[in-house]
Amino acid sequence: MRTLVFGDIHGGLRALEQLIEKLGITPTDKLIFLGDYVDGWSESAQTVECLIQLSKKYQCVFIQGNHDLWCGRWLNLGVSNPVWEEHGGKATIQSYIQSGLLASAEHKSFYQNLQEYHIDEDNRLYIHAGFTSMHGVEKEENRLDFCFDRTLWEMALTMDKRIKKDSKLFPKRLVHYHEIFIGHTPTLNYDVDIPMQGCNVWNIDTGAGFSGKLTCMDVATKEFWQSDIVWGLYPNERGRN
């Protein structure tokens, strides 16, 4: 059985379909999606529909990203905000109207049932952004940090690699989990278009919403697969660029 973790999709259905075809998924595989399924390219509603259908055939875990939080509030409560609309929300609204999925009960349920994080049997943590509590995610007081925090990744990325995990200097946030898999902060910010590692933290967001690719990684072997550059799959669109 493989555990396959996917980075931020941002409405890039064509990239997701490319990866699914490459992966040769079997019923024994576990698929973990790190959030931000919407906001960017023109097929956000269709991307969520694809994920819903995948979950009917395979074991899927869907983590909530900040864009999914915003979109879910709009779809279920009619609540919007200018920040969301300017960061991809307008394209998502259009995709729901044009696709005919605006009133879909399955879609509303999808957003309501997204997980804040997931911990697997090997003590790997999967979370969209990060957390701040030195005691781990279970003790986090501001649970919005699961969707928005960037300090976990910034800390892991800049850590002195000479400091070992059994050292008193090693950040207490990181000792609770064997590995941590995140999205949220595109690796393109560091001029990198493949997954990045800092300490025991892996960043799988390779910028699919911008000018990068969509990535999936086998968490055990660290083998990874990527789509084409998503911008090229939507040549008449800007995505979040």
Side-chain angles (χ1 to χ4, degrees), residues 40-204:
W41 307 104
S42 60
E43 297 185 290
S44 285
Q46 296 89 336
T47 296
V48 172
E49 179 65 22
C50 178
L51 295 173
I52 290 170
Q53 297 309 316
L54 276 176
S55 70
K56 295 177 181 179
K57 299 178 181 178
Y58 306 107
Q59 183 183 0
C60 294
V61 174
F62 299 117
I63 307 297
Q64 179 177 254
N66 56 304
H67 288 268
D68 315 312
L69 174 68
W70 289 327
C71 185
R73 286 175 175 172
W74 167 72
L75 197 64
N76 283 292
L77 303 174
V79 176
S80 184
N81 66 68
V83 174
W84 173 56
E85 291 189 12
E86 289 305 313
H87 287 82
K90 289 180 180 178
T92 297
I93 291 171
Q94 283 300 114
S95 77
Y96 266 101
I97 293 171
Q98 294 172 0
S99 67
L101 293 166
L102 187 60
S104 169
E106 278 193 314
H107 279 242
K108 293 180 179 181
S109 178
F110 175 84
Y111 291 99
Q112 290 172 331
N113 290 297
L114 293 175
Q115 297 186 31
E116 292 180 320
Y117 58 82
H118 175 72
I119 302 173
D120 70 14
E121 62 276 5
D122 294 310
N123 196 33
R124 297 185 181 98
L125 171 67
Y126 305 86
I127 193 166
H128 178 65
F131 61 98
T132 61
S133 174
M134 63 185 289
H135 302 293
V137 291
E138 295 88 349
K139 300 294 184 179
E140 184 62 63
E141 293 189 7
N142 182 9
R143 303 185 82 84
L144 284 177
D145 281 338
F146 298 151
C147 292
F148 290 96
D149 176 69
R150 296 192 197 274
T151 65
L152 178 88
W153 173 239
E154 291 171 348
M155 173 189 65
L157 191 60
T158 57
M159 268 281 292
D160 189 329
K161 293 178 174 55
R162 295 172 296 178
I163 301 175
K164 303 304 179 184
K165 199 170 183 178
D166 58 356
S167 168
K168 292 182 179 179
L169 297 176
F170 198 84
K172 290 181 172 58
R173 266 194 284 181
L174 302 181
V175 301
H176 300 285
Y177 310 103
H178 174 54
E179 290 178 310
I180 302 172
F181 292 86
I182 65 167
H184 190 52
T185 303
T187 61
L188 296 181
N189 291 1
Y190 311 95
D191 300 321
V192 175
D193 66 355
I194 61 174
M196 294 178 66
Q197 180 185 13
C199 298
N200 60 337
V201 181
W202 286 89
N203 185 346
I204 314 297

Side-chain angles (χ1 to χ4, degrees), residues 22-43:
K22 288 182 179 182
L23 289 167
I25 298 170
T26 72
T28 63
D29 292 327
K30 181 178 183 180
L31 314 182
I32 301 178
F33 296 86
L34 291 174
D36 279 3
Y37 312 111
V38 300
D39 299 352
W41 307 104
S42 60
E43 297 185 290

